Structures are given as C-alpha cells and as structure tokens.
Amino acid sequence: QEQQRGNAQGLPKVAWTWAAGKLFVTQPWNKRLAVLDPESLRRVASVALPGSPASVVYSPTGREVWVVMTSEAGAPARVQALAALTLELRSSFELPAQSAHISFTPYGPYAIASAELEDQLFLFDARRHELLASAALRAPARALGPWRALRADL
C-alpha cells in the first residue's frame, strides 16, 4: 500500500511503500528514490530517477516497485519498474497521461492506472509492462478501488 504525505508549505509530496523487507521513499526535490532499512530507518541505497517521483507502489508479489514520475508541461508521465531486491531497472514506459495513481489487482497480473486530469482508466499487463486497454471514466480513482478488482476476479 502506498502512502503520501505533503505539508502546508507547498513542498512536494513524499510517497512511500514497503517491499522486500525495505522501505522505499520518494524524494521529488532531487529526483531520487531512497531505500531505507525499516528497523533503523538508515538509508541503504538511493536510486536516481529521470523525473520527479510522484508515487511508488509495490507489486502483489513484492518483487517489483513501480515509481510514477510526473510529467513536464503536458508530456506523458513515466513509470520505472525496479526489482525490489536488486534495484535493477526492469522496465521504463510512458503512461498515456500527465500523472496517474497505480494500483495492482490482488490476484492477477494486472496494474490499473487512474488518470484524474484526463478522466481515463488504464489497464496494464504487470508482467510485461504493456498497456492492454483504456476507458474514459470520470474521476477514475474514486470509481474503481481495489475491492472492485477483487470482486471482478482480476
């Protein structure tokens, strides 16, 4: 599960997730992903990113961490799929939106990206990192939650 925190001074939001026994924390101000030891909160690694990370989420298997990077002036957002254990880049691909929130389906190999600005919902093959389908849907993040994916047997 991804968590996001911002502050009243308008600093970028920080997002975090837990995978493979590590804590992954976005650092949007320096385009990095910090990897922390969860017991000591000491940084054990840092990953340079090609853009400003907006969110981070782990796959249901815990083997991958997906980092969504916001776009510049209307360009598509980018996703980097990293191996959670080794931090190796597995894939880098564009989202057909300026920004999106990604959730994985609980029992299947799919990722769902909701793009609020574009009122779009995207379905990805999470193993191949490929876009399978898209649909126009008003306020998709509020319309589709993980429990609906579970009920649809995705």
Side-chain angles (χ1 to χ4, degrees), residues 56-93:
V56 60
V57 63
Y58 67 92
S59 68
T61 63
R63 293 184 184 140
E64 284 188 344
V65 175
W66 285 23
V67 183
V68 179
M69 290 158 286
T70 57
S71 64
E72 303 285 331
R78 291 208 60 81
V79 174
Q80 285 203 307
L82 305 170
L85 287 175
T86 64
L87 305 178
E88 290 177 14
L89 178 64
R90 291 218 173 137
S91 180
S92 182
F93 56 95

Side-chain angles (χ1 to χ4, degrees), residues 11-148:
L11 294 175
K13 286 184 177 180
V14 172
W16 61 272
T17 195
W18 179 291
K22 301 173 191 166
L23 190 59
F24 294 84
V25 182
T26 61
Q27 296 179 313
W29 54 89
N30 66 0
K31 298 181 180 178
R32 297 192 77 79
L33 182 68
V35 184
L36 308 177
D37 171 76
E39 292 182 22
S40 67
L41 295 182
R42 293 181 119 174
R43 184 176 17 202
V44 295
S46 181
V47 179
L49 301 168
S52 181
S55 64
V56 60
V57 63
Y58 67 92
S59 68
T61 63
R63 293 184 184 140
E64 284 188 344
V65 175
W66 285 23
V67 183
V68 179
M69 290 158 286
T70 57
S71 64
E72 303 285 331
R78 291 208 60 81
V79 174
Q80 285 203 307
L82 305 170
L85 287 175
T86 64
L87 305 178
E88 290 177 14
L89 178 64
R90 291 218 173 137
S91 180
S92 182
F93 56 95
E94 282 187 358
L95 284 175
Q98 290 182 37
S99 66
H101 177 78
I102 294 179
S103 295
F104 287 90
T105 57
Y107 297 116
Y110 302 105
I112 299 170
S114 57
E116 293 297 302
L117 295 175
E118 293 87 353
D119 286 333
Q120 289 282 318
L121 191 68
F122 304 101
L123 179 67
F124 287 88
D125 180 317
R127 291 184 181 135
R128 295 186 316 221
H129 309 125
E130 293 178 358
L131 179 64
L132 299 175
S134 65
L137 184 64
R138 186 178 165 116
R142 291 186 293 271
L144 181 70
W147 65 272
R148 291 191 188 199

